[in-house]
Amino acid sequence: DPADDVLPQADDPPPPEALAKGYERRYCVDAGGREGHDLLVRRHANGLLVVSLAPSHPLLRPSAKRVASMAWHGNIENEEATGKRCKGGANINPRTVLAEVALPADEAAGIGVMQLCVGVADARLVELNGRLEENPHLLQEAPEDEGFLAIMQPRRPYDTTKSWQALLDSAAYEARR
């Protein structure tokens, strides 16, 4: 049927323009002081920040090994915000380690572990992506959609513009990477 070629199928990923709708994109290079560990930060009109891996992150490079497992760092998974006004939630800063990612065993080096830092301004943790522990491959297969790391709320809403400006826009990010 010719209509099948035009209409999206249920298992097709959403188009990039649908994922970007309502979000402003910025990039944090060398998150947590780790060279090359770049993050994509998308800010929704409501002020919430969605953090995911940027295209230049080592885990998204073509030569990257497939993620074997992922675990949230320390007790952070029990410190998500609750309720309509996002009460509670861990206070996190740019160097806070969110997760540890294990890469497949290497005969010479054993299992490699990579830490993922927040890399953005002081914020309150709203939600961690619970799907990543069961499906760590989502970090690499759908980093901007089902593989996002966390949702955060800036701790100082009046200071959001200043910290947002410290992140790179798409043009500056492309020029740098």
Side-chain angles (χ1 to χ4, degrees):
D1 185 17
D4 290 338
D5 296 334
V6 178
L7 298 174
Q9 301 300 311
D11 57 347
D12 288 345
E17 57 275 3
L19 293 175
K21 190 169 185 148
Y23 289 95
E24 186 179 350
R25 300 166 66 93
R26 293 289 178 138
Y27 296 88
C28 175
V29 295
D30 303 334
R34 293 173 169 89
E35 188 173 337
H37 287 232
D38 302 340
L39 297 175
L40 168 62
V41 182
R42 293 174 289 155
R43 182 173 65 176
H44 192 267
N46 64 12
L48 293 179
L49 307 173
V50 180
V51 179
S52 57
L53 301 180
S56 58
H57 193 280
L59 290 175
L60 298 182
R61 294 182 184 147
S63 61
K65 293 182 180 180
R66 188 169 172 87
V67 172
S69 66
M70 197 213 78
W72 299 114
H73 188 74
N75 196 32
I76 200 161
E77 67 186 312
N78 298 323
E79 298 187 36
E80 294 177 320
T82 58
K84 182 177 178 180
R85 298 193 186 268
C86 298
K87 296 294 181 187
N91 289 325
I92 52 182
N93 64 52
R95 294 196 182 265
T96 300
V97 175
L98 274 184
E100 293 178 349
V101 173
L103 301 172
D106 184 330
E107 296 82 31
I111 293 181
V113 175
M114 181 182 293
Q115 292 184 328
L116 301 176
C117 287
V118 176
V120 296
D122 292 338
R124 177 165 290 130
L125 179 63
V126 174
E127 179 184 339
L128 293 169
N129 186 353
R131 299 170 106 182
L132 293 177
E133 284 185 297
E134 292 179 20
N135 301 305
H137 59 88
L138 292 174
L139 274 172
Q140 294 169 305
E141 292 174 4
E144 289 188 41
D145 187 22
E146 296 169 320
F148 74 91
L149 285 169
I151 298 174
M152 301 181 299
Q153 180 179 35
R155 262 199 325 213
R156 295 180 209 96
Y158 54 86
D159 195 30
T160 303
T161 303
K162 179 181 167 188
S163 51
W164 186 248
Q165 295 305 322
L167 301 173
L168 302 177
D169 63 13
S170 295
Y173 170 74
E174 291 295 327
R176 189 145 176 201
R177 294 292 183 223

